[in-house]
Amino acid sequence: MNSAKVFGKQVNLTYIHPQKTNATVLESTLAFNSENKVTGKFSFQSGKGSVKYTYVNSSGTTLEPAYDFNTEAWNYTASQTLGEGNTIKLSYETSKNVTGLEWTKNFKQAGSLKVSCYSLDLLLSSLFMCICKCVCLPYMCAHMYAY
């Protein structure tokens, strides 16, 4: 990662070029302060790019609107940290009309538990796909359901 100062603000640049494929990616982040930053990405192989603004509130709330230049659509994410190791995240992809709700619990010694629910059509579908992922140490998984 390289960095430079532009108008007194730190700009970070990341350049990725795998040797086996011609898949060069350029990513840049401009942090205005500890709460506000803008990130842009561009892939030279696919010609796809995106820009994302991140706002982090002192209360633990993060808001992230993003624009994808390939699909010409906005994506919105809001997350909130709740106590020790709990995070809840809401998302909406306008190009696919998909909403999501995700809860993550991080355990200090045993990994994490993640529960995600996605609605495929915000207005018409009442069908939810719920995926429960348990990414934790084998001991935690083996003893988690014993109680």
Side-chain angles (χ1 to χ4, degrees), residues 4-142:
K5 289 220 177 210
V6 177
F7 300 113
K9 302 295 181 189
Q10 187 81 12
V11 177
N12 297 322
L13 295 170
T14 304
Y15 174 81
I16 303 167
H17 183 77
Q19 293 182 356
K20 293 184 179 182
T21 62
N22 188 17
T24 304
V25 175
L26 181 64
E27 180 178 331
S28 178
T29 302
L30 171 62
F32 297 102
N33 52 39
S34 61
E35 295 177 339
N36 299 284
K37 74 177 178 178
V38 175
T39 303
K41 289 183 182 181
F42 184 75
S43 171
F44 290 94
Q45 180 183 21
S46 65
K48 297 177 182 178
S50 64
V51 64
K52 176 174 69 171
Y53 169 73
T54 303
Y55 171 72
V56 180
N57 188 303
S58 60
S59 68
T61 303
T62 302
L63 303 173
E64 294 181 319
Y67 185 76
D68 186 333
F69 291 101
N70 183 50
T71 59
E72 298 180 351
W74 287 93
N75 298 320
Y76 302 96
T77 303
S79 62
Q80 175 70 47
T81 302
L82 306 168
E84 286 189 27
N86 288 299
T87 303
I88 191 161
K89 181 168 116 177
L90 300 168
S91 61
Y92 177 57
E93 286 185 58
T94 58
S95 65
K96 298 177 183 175
N97 203 21
V98 173
T99 57
L101 174 64
E102 183 177 293
W103 170 66
T104 305
K105 171 68 176 173
N106 290 319
F107 300 97
K108 291 181 181 179
Q109 298 176 353
S112 63
L113 172 70
K114 183 178 187 179
V115 178
S116 303
C117 296
Y118 299 97
S119 170
L120 297 178
D121 188 323
L122 182 63
L123 300 173
L124 302 175
S125 176
S126 61
L127 175 65
F128 285 92
M129 292 190 310
C130 291
I131 304 163
C132 180
K133 297 180 181 179
C134 180
V135 183
C136 53
L137 297 174
Y139 177 84
M140 175 76 183
C141 290

